[in-house]
Amino acid sequence: MLVDNLISQTKTIVGHNLEPTPWHVFPAKSFDEESTYSKASTIIQCSYLSCSTASSVVTNIPRKSNTQSESKITESNNCPEFFKSIYNDLEPWTKSMISMNHVMEAQKNAAFRVVIIGGKLFVDFYYACVQSRAMFTIWGILQLLRRYPGKVPDVDFMFDCMDKPIINRTEHSSMPLPLFRYCTTPQHFDIPFPDWSFWGWSEINIRPWNEEFKSIKEGSNTRRWPEKIPLAYWKGNPDVVSPIRLELLNCNDTEMWRAQIMRQNWTEEAKVGFEKSKLSKQCNHRYKIYAEGYAWSVSLKYILACGSLPLIISPQYQDFFSRGLIPKKNYWPLPPFDLCPSIKAAVDWGNANPLEAEAIGKAGQDLMESLSIDRVYDYMYHLISEYAKLQDFVPVQPSSAREMGVLAHFPDRNSYEQ
């Protein structure tokens, strides 16, 4: 299948976000709607994302007018507490507003530009994103417009698809630049947006979030808590310039540190369609470790979904929902120092207090169950709406942007690999 070919053609090894990556300025060329990449994107839309089923319009989402106060956004049960982070993320522009100059300066660090006018989506591509990140991100925005017909305001923003935030608050204090990406830190102005894998990660056979969560929960329920392996488990790629993950390899001793640490062989897994790496089959341990990689990792939501007690090694990066996590309620925090003894101490505590450990794991799973794809769209809607209120200009279609009515308008895959 073309999707399988897409995996084999990908130059960047899955899990790496370093050199070499297919980040190149797009060459001047026409769009070929019948290109290999376009055909692959169509297959992903219609068989992988079930695009034949029309998205229903969400009618039970609280609308927020310009005059409503910040607190109103969280009064409804439909809006989790972490939605308030939207206001913290956008606070740097509440006085200066967001000018066209802000947007164009942010372009220097952007992979593509998103412009919504009258419910239509226009995208201007500058750089090729790693793998299918851009395609699934744009797909998600298209679905947002379908779910909120006539509700999403006209907006113009820049988006970067690499992992690490780059708009440092100290360096850019005189002129904060609004740049959307998948994560941020308290030291950066970058605005977190739901990551591409909520709509799927075709290269490693991960399905859309609602389907993947259901599968993970079912896999977790095949073993009762007392039957789960009483060890901490981690499986992933340590070769991403991550001191924490390299240190984690030293903890692979079930007797001494109560931990089973597995190195993922991406090349071998790709050959068998990642059948041995199904997330639903990785919930057999009572404890699951989350360790950041090159930066934040999409694995966080899948680890929390397991219902095992999540052992989260003190993270530097935040995605849009992780700011809603509460230590010892949804997860067990681990310090980045004395890592192996800390893992052992957490496992020993959990095995001595099974009811409490199971309850924390269940609370993490419940949080992820509440984060349905509907809530993801809610977050996108509120974030874009609040951002649009800060614009001091009227968005217009850039001359070089293309309307994204269907993903067949994506650039030819060859432009990623030249």
Side-chain angles (χ1 to χ4, degrees):
M1 290 181 63
L2 288 174
V3 174
D4 296 326
N5 291 335
L6 184 59
I7 296 172
S8 64
Q9 292 169 7
T10 304
K11 287 186 176 180
T12 302
I13 298 175
V14 180
H16 286 262
N17 198 12
L18 307 172
E19 295 294 341
T21 62
W23 258 58
H24 309 291
V25 177
F26 283 123
K29 63 188 297 299
S30 61
F31 286 72
D32 178 6
E33 293 189 2
E34 291 302 314
S35 67
T36 299
Y37 188 56
S38 296
K39 291 177 182 177
S41 70
T42 301
I43 289 175
I44 292 170
Q45 289 177 54
C46 296
S47 62
Y48 188 72
L49 293 174
S50 303
C51 70
S52 58
T53 302
S55 297
S56 59
V57 176
V58 180
T59 58
N60 63 340
I61 306 305
R63 307 302 183 191
K64 182 172 183 293
S65 68
N66 291 346
T67 59
Q68 286 179 304
S69 66
E70 171 180 329
S71 61
K72 293 292 184 182
I73 200 170
T74 55
E75 286 185 357
S76 169
N77 290 332
N78 286 320
C79 293
E81 188 71 14
F82 64 80
F83 273 50
K84 289 194 295 187
S85 296
I86 290 172
Y87 295 94
N88 294 330
D89 293 335
L90 298 179
E91 189 276 334
W93 300 280
T94 53
K95 292 182 179 179
S96 67
M97 304 296 284
I98 297 172
S99 67
M100 180 56 70
N101 191 32
H102 281 99
V103 175
M104 298 316 295
E105 284 296 312
Q107 177 184 331
K108 298 174 182 178
N109 300 290
F112 56 88
R113 181 180 185 177
V114 173
V115 181
I116 298 171
I117 301 173
K120 294 183 178 181
L121 175 62
F122 303 90
V123 179
D124 199 5
F125 294 95
Y126 308 125
Y127 294 92
C129 293
V130 174
Q131 298 176 343
S132 54
R133 293 185 181 193
M135 182 171 67
F136 282 112
T137 300
I138 298 303
W139 167 260
I141 297 174
L142 280 171
Q143 297 313 298
L144 173 70
L145 296 176
R146 293 177 66 186
R147 286 171 174 252
Y148 288 88
K151 297 292 184 180
V152 180
D154 292 359
V155 70
D156 186 341
F157 60 86
M158 296 292 174
F159 202 107
D160 181 32
C161 56
M162 297 298 277
D163 285 354
K164 282 193 174 182
I166 55 178
I167 311 299
N168 185 276
R169 285 179 176 261
T170 300
E171 296 175 12
H172 297 273
S173 60
S174 61
M175 185 180 179
L177 300 181
L179 182 64
F180 284 59
R181 69 167 62 252
Y182 305 123
C183 72
T184 192
T185 80
Q187 291 75 45
H188 291 85
F189 288 119
D190 302 67
I191 303 168
F193 192 85
D195 75 82
W196 77 96
S197 64
F198 278 100
W199 295 276
W201 191 350
S202 57
E203 287 87 352
I204 61 173
N205 202 23
I206 290 181
R207 295 173 292 177
W209 171 238
N210 275 6
E211 296 177 34
E212 200 65 61
F213 175 83
K214 180 181 178 182
S215 176
I216 292 172
K217 186 175 181 180
E218 289 175 352
S220 176
N221 290 339
T222 58
R223 292 193 185 191
R224 296 169 52 250
W225 185 269
E227 299 167 348
K228 291 183 182 291
I229 301 169
L231 298 171
Y233 179 83
W234 181 86
K235 184 176 183 179
N237 182 10
D239 304 315
V240 287
V241 190
S242 170
I244 288 295
R245 290 191 178 185
L246 290 176
E247 176 63 23
L248 193 57
L249 296 177
N250 297 324
C251 306
N252 187 29
D253 190 319
T254 57
E255 293 295 327
M256 181 176 293
W257 305 123
R258 311 289 193 268
Q260 185 176 1
I261 310 301
M262 307 289 289
R263 178 188 286 269
Q264 176 81 312
N265 188 326
W266 293 107
T267 302
E268 292 302 314
E269 289 293 336
K271 292 179 181 178
V272 295
F274 296 91
E275 284 298 318
K276 297 179 181 179
S277 298
K278 283 186 177 295
L279 297 173
S280 59
K281 297 179 180 178
Q282 296 187 36
C283 299
N284 295 326
H285 293 68
R286 292 182 191 172
Y287 314 92
K288 288 205 67 178
I289 300 170
Y290 171 74
E292 290 181 332
Y294 180 59
W296 138 97
S297 170
V298 300
S299 64
L300 177 59
K301 58 180 174 290
Y302 305 121
I303 289 172
L304 289 163
C306 258
S308 304
L309 175 56
L311 307 181
I312 297 182
I313 303 171
S314 185
Q316 298 181 51
Y317 303 92
Q318 304 167 335
D319 62 16
F320 79 102
F321 74 83
S322 63
R323 293 171 289 188
L325 294 173
I326 301 174
K328 297 188 178 180
K329 178 181 178 180
N330 309 114
Y331 73 97
W332 191 271
L334 293 180
F337 49 85
D338 293 331
L339 185 57
C340 301
S342 297
I343 293 173
K344 180 181 183 300
V347 171
D348 287 345
W349 175 86
N351 289 339
N353 300 275
L355 294 180
E356 292 89 340
E358 182 179 8
I360 296 174
K362 184 63 166 59
Q365 186 181 65
D366 289 345
L367 178 65
M368 300 318 295
E369 187 161 23
S370 71
L371 186 65
S372 64
I373 195 64
D374 289 333
R375 297 290 80 78
V376 175
Y377 284 120
D378 294 347
Y379 191 92
M380 293 163 60
Y381 172 76
H382 286 300
L383 174 59
I384 290 174
S385 296
E386 296 304 315
Y387 175 96
K389 294 174 187 176
L390 297 175
Q391 295 174 144
D392 68 358
F393 62 93
V394 177
V396 296
Q397 178 188 352
S399 60
S400 54
R402 295 295 298 266
E403 183 177 352
M404 293 287 112
V406 293
L407 290 186
H409 287 157
F410 262 68
D412 190 296
R413 178 67 187 180
N414 292 333
S415 67
Y416 284 67
E417 301 185 338
Q418 292 183 2

